[in-house]
Amino acid sequence: MFARIRSHLLVAVAALATPVAAQAQTAAPPATSQLAPARSGTVEIDGIAYYYEVRGQGEPLLLLHGGLGSIDMFAPILPALAAGRQVIAVDLQGHGRTPLGNRPIGLEAMGKVMDALLGKLGFRQVDVLGYSMGAGVGFQLAAQHPERVRRLALVSMTHATSGIQPEMVPIQRQLTAAMAPMMKDTPMYTGYVARAPRPQDFPKLLDQMGDLMRRDYDWSAQVKALTMPVMLVVGDADMWRPEASVEFFKLLGGGQRDGGWQREHVTKHRLAILPGRTHYDMFLAPELVPTVRPFLDGKEARADWK
């Protein structure tokens, strides 16, 4: 029974570091030299030193990772993302090279932190690509500070607790520090201890992430108030119920009617459902970049029937 609970919890974390199964389906990550940041460092905000890296040249793109991961979970797709773009990648509170500190982990608070961090780095406006927990942070940044976000791509997230597949809710909420000993052979743990300023904080991080997942939320009102173009990307075997993604899209104003012969009823928002993808391999799927780049670059992939 304990082994079963352990197994369920490992797949229930909001976002996982690279799973073995996903690695087997993905080409080997590029050489380290290809991934080397043009600059990196820390920005202190409210007593926490947030680690960041900047790669590439071009329009700025803020990249936000999932829970129990770090910037490095995007290694397989970073070169493609940074081709012609300036990617600003951040290790979120308690993740990667950013210390946990003494504050609770909250998506709303981290949205405010990202606004402050971008200001200190000198970025007036950015596009945002966030995955899972990082998508929630990006959403809050856009909702609280719409002037900062030009386009928003949200990968594997939904707008309310009700959107989660029902069997996952009670499993997620069991996550506590007591799970730490059982996670020592997982990529979440090994990745954490390899990068964290205080590796001994891993049990405390699990408690904080469990507290986060035990909080119900419904951002429907904020969804309706978003002013920038938004793209939702989910897998057809994601943690979120398919109908929840459609509901999210409809709250944005999409999916309300036929798009029209001349696309006169097509909204500025987009919904993409990637076949055969789960919550746990979306962030390194080779098809993710060609799915989101046209949207982030403001290009319309249309074809006319002649």
Side-chain angles (χ1 to χ4, degrees):
M1 177 64 180
F2 195 61
R4 180 172 176 269
I5 292 174
R6 174 184 182 273
S7 175
H8 282 175
L9 283 173
L10 294 188
V11 300
V13 176
L16 305 180
T18 310
V20 175
Q23 284 179 317
Q25 298 170 16
T26 307
T32 303
S33 60
Q34 291 178 279
L35 295 174
R39 63 183 169 117
S40 62
T42 60
V43 174
E44 185 162 331
I45 301 169
D46 296 334
I48 293 178
Y50 289 84
Y51 178 80
Y52 73 91
E53 297 178 354
V54 179
R55 294 175 172 81
Q57 298 292 327
E59 293 292 331
L61 171 64
L62 178 64
L63 182 64
L64 300 172
H65 64 80
L68 296 191
S70 70
I71 293 169
D72 303 277
M73 70 193 301
F74 292 115
I77 66 170
L78 258 174
L81 281 175
R85 297 296 300 246
Q86 186 176 193
V87 175
I88 310 125
V90 181
D91 280 340
L92 296 171
Q93 180 186 347
H95 291 70
R97 301 155 189 85
T98 298
L100 182 59
N102 296 315
R103 297 197 314 273
I105 289 178
L107 302 183
E108 294 88 348
M110 284 195 283
K112 294 176 183 176
V113 166
M114 290 303 104
D115 175 63
L117 183 144
L118 290 168
K120 290 190 175 187
L121 290 179
F123 293 100
R124 184 185 65 83
Q125 190 178 57
V126 298
D127 296 325
V128 178
L129 173 61
Y131 161 68
S132 193
M133 183 180 78
V137 175
F139 176 91
Q140 286 298 324
L141 168 64
Q144 298 166 14
H145 303 281
E147 72 285 353
R148 281 278 187 212
V149 180
R150 186 177 67 165
R151 295 185 183 90
L152 177 64
L154 304 174
V155 179
S156 283
M157 72 155 278
T158 193
H159 64 291
T161 306
S162 60
I164 302 174
Q165 293 286 5
E167 78 277 8
M168 299 303 293
V169 176
I171 295 171
Q172 280 189 326
R173 293 180 175 186
Q174 295 177 58
L175 185 65
T176 67
M179 287 296 300
M182 292 172 287
M183 296 181 69
K184 289 194 172 179
D185 60 349
T186 68
M188 292 88 79
Y189 176 79
T190 56
Y192 182 86
V193 298
R195 299 171 180 84
R198 287 176 48 86
Q200 64 270 31
D201 280 348
F202 187 70
K204 185 178 176 182
L205 174 62
L206 294 185
D207 264 342
Q208 292 262 31
M209 292 298 291
D211 286 344
L212 177 64
M213 290 189 286
R214 284 184 282 274
R215 299 174 212 153
D216 288 332
Y217 67 97
D218 187 336
W219 296 339
S220 298
Q222 288 176 295
V223 171
K224 293 178 182 179
L226 291 177
T227 57
M228 71 291 298
V230 179
M231 183 175 199
L232 309 177
V233 185
V234 295
D236 63 5
D238 215 309
M239 185 188 298
W240 318 115
R241 297 182 298 108
E243 56 269 39
S245 297
V246 173
E247 181 184 348
F248 194 167
F249 187 52
K250 292 180 76 172
L251 286 171
L252 289 165
Q256 303 288 346
R257 59 185 300 182
D258 175 76
W261 183 260
Q262 299 297 322
R263 301 174 61 84
E264 61 269 23
H265 304 307
V266 174
T267 73
K268 63 185 177 181
H269 308 295
R270 299 290 179 264
L271 169 63
I273 300 177
L274 301 187
R277 288 298 172 187
T278 72
H279 193 75
Y280 316 103
D281 62 8
M282 283 286 290
F283 60 89
L284 43 64
E287 64 270 31
L288 179 59
V289 175
T291 297
V292 299
R293 273 300 293 261
F295 169 78
L296 291 170
D297 293 344
K299 296 178 180 177
E300 187 63 67
R302 66 171 293 172
D304 291 328
W305 181 15
K306 302 191 180 194

